[in-house]
C-alpha cells in the first residue's frame, strides 16, 4: 500500500493527520466494527462519532491526508472595512510599480488617487502587506545577477520528545540564493540554537558549484559571514571579496516576500522567538527535528520548481565592485516593519 502523501500540508498538522489515519485504519481492520467501536475511537481523537465516520469515508475514498484536517487559511490579507475602489487602486498601483514597488513611493500615489476619488485610502500597513503578497507571487524578481548568502527562520516549534510536547526551537535555514532567479543553490538547516549552520562550510560548497567560463556574479555576504568565511574564500581565490554593504537579509525579504514555497518565512532573528504559543492552534502539534528539516527541504524544492528555471551556471567575482550597481528598487528606503500581530505567527492555520 502506498504511503500517505503529506506534501502541501501544514507541517504542524501532519502529526494530527498521522494520528487520524492510524485511528481510521485501526477501525477498518476490526473484523466487524460496530457503532460502539466508532464512538470509542472517535473519543480517543477528541471528535464526535459523526465526524469520525465522515473522516473515515473520506480516507477510504480518496486516501488524501489533507481531507482529514482543517483546511489552511494561511496569512490572509484582511480587507474588511476598506472600500472596494480603494482596494482596486491599491492593487493597480502596486502592479504598475512591479518589482520596484516600495512603500515610500507607492503609498503616496495610492493615497492621492483615493483622495481624488473621495474614498478612504488603505492604511500603510495594509499597503505593505499587499506589496509583500505580490512579491511572493512573482516567479522571480528583477535586478542585477548576484549570489547572496543569508538566513530564513520558520515558526515550526520543534521538540525532541513529542510525548512531552516541550521545546520552542525555531529552525534556521542558511541558504545560497541565485538572484534574480530566486533559486536556492545550496543550504544548511539547523534546529538547534546552540549549533547554528556553519557559513564557511556552505560557502565552501558554493565554490565547488562554480563553472569556469560562466558569467561571474558578485557573492554577497554580511560582514560577520565574510569574516567567518575568509579562509575558505582565500583558498578559493577570492581573497579580494569584500563584505556586502547593504543588508543581505533585506534582499532575501524582497525576493521571497515572506514565504519560501508553502512556508511563511522570517528574515529577522528577533521575530523568530517571541509569541511562539500563538502559532499553536487546535490541530497543531510540535514536530520533531527530522519533520522540520523535511518540511523546509520540501519548501526549497517547491520554490525551485515553481521558478520554472534550471540552476544557472555561474562563477564568482573576486571583488564585488558594486558601487551603486543595485538599482533604486533594492537600495532606497527602508522597508516598512509594522509591529508583529497574531497573523504574523500563523502558519497555514
Amino acid at each position: 500500500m502506498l504511503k500517505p502523501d503529506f506534501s502541501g500540508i501544514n507541517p504542524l498538522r501532519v502529526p494530527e493527520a498521522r494520528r487520524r489515519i492510524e485511528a481510521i485504519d485501526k477501525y477498518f481492520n476490526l473484523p466487524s466494527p460496530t457503532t460502539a467501536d466508532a464512538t470509542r475511537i472517535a473519543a480517543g481523537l477528541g471528535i464526535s462519532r459523526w465526524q469520525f465516520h465522515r473522516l473515515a469515508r473520506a480516507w477510504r475514498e480518496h486516501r488524501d491526508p489533507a481531507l482529514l484536517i482543517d483546511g489552511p487559511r494561511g496569512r490572509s490579507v484582511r480587507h474588511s472595512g476598506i472600500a472596494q475602489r480603494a482596494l482596486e487602486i491599491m492593487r493597480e498601483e502596486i502592479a504598475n510599480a512591479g518589482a520596484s514597488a516600495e512603500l515610500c513611493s507607492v503609498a503616496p500615489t495610492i493615497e492621492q488617487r483615493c483622495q481624488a476619488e473621495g474614498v478612504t485610502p488603505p492604511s500603510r500597513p495594509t499597503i505593505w502587506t499587499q506589496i509583500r503578497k505580490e512579491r511572493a507571487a512573482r516567479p522571480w524578481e528583477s535586478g542585477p545577477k548576484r549570489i547572496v548568502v543569508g538566513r530564513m527562520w520558520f515558526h515550526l516549534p520543534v521538540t525532541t520528545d513529542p510525548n512531552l510536547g516541550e521545546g520552542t526551537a525555531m529552525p534556521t535555514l542558511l541558504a545560497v540564493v541565485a538572484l534574480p532567479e530566486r533559486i536556492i543553490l545550496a543550504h544548511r538547516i539547523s534546529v538547534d540554537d546552540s549549533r547554528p549552520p556553519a557559513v564557511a562550510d556552505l560557502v565552501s560548497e558554493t565554490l565547488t558549484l562554480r563553472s569556469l567560463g560562466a558569467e561571474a556574479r558578485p557573492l554577497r555576504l554580511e560582514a560577520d559571514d565574510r569574516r567567518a568565511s575568509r579562509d575558505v574564500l582565500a583558498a578559493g581565490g577570492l581573497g579580494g571579496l569584500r563584505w556586502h554593504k547593504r543588508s543581505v537579509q533585506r534582499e532575501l525579504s524582497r525576493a521571497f516576500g515572506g514565504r519560501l514555497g508553502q512556508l511563511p518565512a522570517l528574515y529577522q532573528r528577533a521575530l523568530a522567538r517571541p509569541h511562539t504559543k500563538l502559532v499553536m492552534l487546535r490541530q497543531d502539534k510540535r514536530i520533531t527535528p527530522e519533520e522540520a528539516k523535511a518540511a523546509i527541504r520540501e519548501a526549497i524544492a517547491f520554490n525551485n520548481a515553481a521558478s520554472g528555471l534550471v540552476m544557472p551556471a555561474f562563477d564568482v567575482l573576486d571583488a564585488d565592485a558594486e558601487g551603486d550597481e543595485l538599482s533604486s528598487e533594492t537600495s532606497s528606503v527602508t522597508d516598512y516593519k509594522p509591529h508583529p500581530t497574531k497573523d504574523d505567527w500563523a502558519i497555514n492555520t
Side-chain angles (χ1 to χ4, degrees):
M1 183 179 295
L2 294 177
K3 293 183 178 180
D5 180 8
F6 296 100
S7 60
I9 297 178
N10 180 346
L12 299 183
R13 294 188 177 174
V14 169
E16 179 64 17
R18 291 185 187 279
R19 190 169 77 101
R20 293 185 173 193
I21 290 172
E22 182 180 351
I24 292 171
D25 286 344
K26 179 180 178 181
Y27 175 76
F28 285 150
N29 289 332
L30 293 174
S32 300
T34 64
T35 299
D37 292 323
T39 301
R40 172 176 51 80
I41 295 175
L45 294 174
I47 60 178
S48 69
R49 174 167 62 89
W50 304 109
Q51 185 178 4
F52 176 77
H53 278 304
R54 180 182 63 79
L55 295 178
R57 181 173 63 254
W59 180 243
R60 182 178 57 229
E61 294 176 356
H62 301 283
R63 308 295 292 185
D64 183 356
L67 299 178
L68 303 182
I69 56 175
D70 291 344
R73 294 193 298 273
R75 296 169 63 182
S76 60
V77 180
R78 294 176 173 81
H79 295 318
S80 58
I82 303 176
Q84 181 61 34
R85 181 54 185 155
L87 293 176
E88 292 173 355
I89 291 172
M90 175 179 68
R91 289 165 179 152
E92 288 173 5
E93 291 301 325
I94 292 174
N96 290 339
S100 63
E102 287 280 4
L103 183 70
C104 67
S105 58
V106 174
T109 305
I110 294 171
E111 292 161 355
Q112 291 169 8
R113 286 189 59 187
C114 287
Q115 291 168 3
E117 297 193 26
V119 296
T120 302
S123 68
R124 293 207 170 191
T126 297
I127 297 172
W128 171 236
T129 300
Q130 186 67 25
I131 289 173
R132 287 179 65 81
K133 181 180 178 183
E134 291 299 322
R135 288 178 183 172
R138 288 197 303 270
W140 56 291
E141 59 147 1
S142 63
K145 293 182 179 180
R146 67 261 194 213
I147 305 294
V148 302
V149 180
R151 293 163 179 79
M152 301 183 195
W153 290 271
F154 304 91
H155 260 283
L156 296 174
V158 174
T159 176
T160 56
D161 189 343
N163 295 322
L164 294 177
E166 298 295 335
T168 58
M170 298 294 133
T172 303
L173 170 67
L174 176 66
V176 178
V177 185
L179 294 178
E181 297 89 345
R182 206 166 68 175
I183 294 177
I184 295 179
L185 305 174
H187 69 274
R188 297 286 187 276
I189 301 171
S190 173
V191 295
D192 184 347
D193 286 343
S194 66
R195 294 184 177 182
V199 66
D201 289 345
L202 187 59
V203 170
S204 178
E205 178 183 344
T206 302
L207 298 185
T208 67
L209 301 176
R210 291 183 294 178
S211 299
L212 294 178
E215 181 179 6
R217 303 187 182 201
L219 176 64
R220 294 179 174 160
L221 302 101
E222 301 281 7
D224 289 343
D225 289 341
R226 167 66 181 84
R227 285 190 288 269
S229 306
R230 60 180 177 272
D231 292 340
V232 169
L233 291 169
L238 299 173
L241 189 71
R242 299 193 299 269
W243 59 273
H244 186 36
K245 297 178 182 179
R246 300 184 180 96
S247 171
V248 168
Q249 293 304 121
R250 184 176 177 224
E251 287 199 55
L252 290 179
S253 177
R254 288 187 56 84
F256 290 93
R259 184 173 292 273
L260 175 64
Q262 298 171 323
L263 288 181
L266 302 168
Y267 304 92
Q268 298 180 49
R269 181 187 295 275
L271 295 182
R273 294 295 174 264
H275 306 295
T276 300
K277 291 184 179 179
L278 292 181
V279 302
M280 305 301 293
L281 300 183
R282 184 173 61 87
Q283 292 187 0
D284 295 343
K285 308 290 182 184
R286 286 182 171 83
I287 57 179
T288 66
E290 292 73 22
E291 290 169 337
K293 292 177 182 178
I296 295 171
R297 292 190 189 105
E298 179 183 326
I300 292 171
F302 185 96
N303 169 81
N304 288 356
S307 73
L309 304 171
V310 297
M311 185 176 78
F314 68 92
D315 202 349
V316 179
L317 292 174
D318 183 27
D320 183 3
E322 63 175 351
D324 294 325
E325 176 186 353
L326 285 181
S327 62
S328 59
E329 68 181 86
T330 313
S331 59
S332 58
V333 41
T334 301
D335 286 340
Y336 181 82
K337 294 182 178 64
H339 293 295
T341 65
K342 182 173 182 178
D343 287 340
D344 292 325
W345 317 116
I347 296 182
N348 292 338
T349 53

